[in-house]
Amino acid sequence: MTPADLADHASNVADHADSLILTLVGGFVLAFVFGMIANRLKLSPLVGYLVAGIAVGPHTIGFVADQELAPQLAEIGVILLMFGVGLHFSLADLMKVRKIAIPGAIVQIGAATVLGWGLGRLMGMSDLEATLMGFALSVASTVVLLRALEERKQVKGDVGRIAMGWLIVEDLVIVIALVVLPLLVIQPGETLSGMDLAGSIGWTLFKVAGFTAIMLVVGARVLPWVLVRIAHTKSRELFTLGVLAIALGIAWVAYALFHSFALGAFLAGLVLNSSPLGHNAAERSLPLRDAFAVLFFVSVGMLFDPTILVREPLAVLGVLGIVIVGKSIAALAITTLFKLDKATSLTVAAALAQIGEFSFILAALSVQLGGMRQETHDLILAAALLSISLNPFVFAFIDRIGAKPKPPAKEPTPVTSLI
């Protein structure tokens, strides 16, 4: 090997050695900067995180983050996001609004999927790709919804309970979809009859049901016992590591069995949620969940080609119309059918008129499996960016037509405070 070859090899090793720290620094710093800008503009910080990813992606000039490393960091973000969903899953809350949340979420998912399929077919997509696009457009972002309801002080009211119950059902549907999706995408050269496909899906769902039963029965006894023993050490570091080890370990087991990190992470959070130390587990994992969730959104932005806004403006408008108009009309129709008042119906519809993290996860998996083209993925990301950015304006519009929340009644001033 010549001295020049040795120098090139050393340079490549050095570049690879610092790619992790450069990706982390670039991702966190730019996410903070753009997140702050989005916050000042009264937008969700998610918009800033996605823009930060676009800035360090290959489609813009300047620094480009490691394209192989970022998706792996994003996968950890997916695991921790799903772990958090499980930790905050409340079956009791869902049962309170089950009569509207369950049929409402299912009908809205179906309506958005059909609309997306219709648009996709008009654009020349295959049935599978068009259906996957519609399904990805049907799921709202929990992060954006919570932020909107918190700003309106409606999280604990009827509107908040209905909207969150609705989102819980959507989350459950997505978890199942992420497990079944690899079976639906047939690779080139493969042939699979309808009976074989139905059998494969049935067998996979049977295994998922068995794994879930084991987790809920055995895991519900073992994992809380483990956490209690770790807590007896009185070491915050060991407790935090124990929580993360449980989340990542069970996610890996589910991936080995079903090729789905999301299912294992969700079940791990669900089991710990019912344990006496579930609140502490959620609190300990929150900082890392937030950090890797940011990296997840940054990595999603890195995959986005912003030129699609110029190249395919009509397609972007069509997809955005499904998210904001189509989903809202479906939600309004369902809530009106259940005879909810006008303000509640409008607020639920506006809260669901956006897409976010689970749409990204589903679209990324579809691309990875070969069931969706990168251009369709970009359309979904464009719709997410625009719908999240426009969501505050959607709320402002419904307030004008009768959905503005009433200010809380002022309590009489105590006599003691006047003395």
Side-chain angles (χ1 to χ4, degrees), residues 66-330:
D66 192 321
Q67 299 295 294
E68 295 181 0
L69 188 60
Q72 297 182 47
L73 294 174
E75 200 70 68
I76 300 176
V78 171
I79 293 172
L80 295 177
L81 276 171
M82 294 304 300
F83 181 59
V85 170
L87 277 172
H88 293 95
F89 179 87
S90 175
L91 185 60
D93 289 346
L94 176 58
M95 288 298 100
K96 291 177 183 176
V97 294
R98 66 187 183 280
K99 292 182 179 179
I100 182 173
I102 295 176
I106 293 174
V107 170
Q108 188 205 293
I109 289 174
T113 302
V114 169
L115 289 172
W117 171 82
L119 178 63
R121 292 296 291 163
L122 288 175
M123 296 169 57
M125 298 181 190
S126 66
D127 284 324
L128 177 62
E129 184 177 21
T131 302
L132 290 174
M133 182 183 75
F135 189 57
L137 298 177
S138 69
V139 187
S141 166
T142 307
V143 178
V144 176
L145 182 142
L146 273 175
R147 177 184 173 90
L149 294 179
E150 285 171 355
E151 289 181 349
R152 297 166 67 85
K153 297 179 173 58
Q154 292 180 311
V155 175
K156 296 183 180 180
D158 290 339
V159 173
R161 283 194 291 270
I162 293 171
M164 289 308 300
W166 204 299
L167 261 292
I168 288 172
V169 178
E170 290 188 353
D171 293 347
L172 292 176
V173 172
I174 282 292
V175 170
I176 296 173
L178 292 175
V179 176
V180 174
L181 182 57
L183 301 175
L184 299 177
V185 181
I186 301 175
Q187 301 301 324
E190 292 184 4
T191 57
L192 200 63
S193 67
M195 291 296 293
D196 291 338
L197 178 60
S200 297
I201 293 175
W203 174 240
T204 299
L205 292 178
F206 177 77
K207 291 192 296 182
V208 168
F211 181 68
T212 302
I214 292 172
M215 284 296 302
L216 295 179
V217 176
V218 179
R221 295 174 180 270
V222 175
L223 297 185
W225 179 84
V226 171
L227 280 185
V228 169
R229 292 297 176 274
I230 299 173
H232 284 165
T233 65
K234 297 182 180 180
S235 170
R236 296 182 61 181
E237 293 84 0
L238 285 176
F239 189 84
T240 302
L241 285 174
V243 171
L244 292 175
I246 289 172
L248 296 174
I250 296 177
W252 181 84
V253 171
Y255 179 77
L257 294 174
F258 315 110
H259 300 285
S260 174
F261 285 116
L263 175 66
F266 174 77
L267 289 175
L270 189 62
V271 170
L272 294 184
N273 180 26
S274 60
S275 72
L277 294 174
H279 177 73
N280 287 340
E283 184 180 347
R284 293 286 184 269
S285 64
L286 185 60
L288 271 177
R289 288 208 324 265
D290 288 345
F292 278 98
V294 168
L295 287 179
F296 166 72
F297 291 115
V298 171
S299 69
V300 169
M302 288 172 61
L303 299 174
F304 177 56
D305 183 1
T307 61
I308 197 169
L309 298 171
V310 178
R311 290 186 287 109
E312 301 286 348
L314 294 179
V316 171
L317 286 176
V319 172
L320 183 63
I322 293 174
V323 175
I324 295 181
V325 181
K327 289 174 61 179
S328 297
I329 292 175

Side-chain angles (χ1 to χ4, degrees), residues 413-419:
T413 306
V415 176
T416 54
S417 67
L418 300 175
I419 298 177

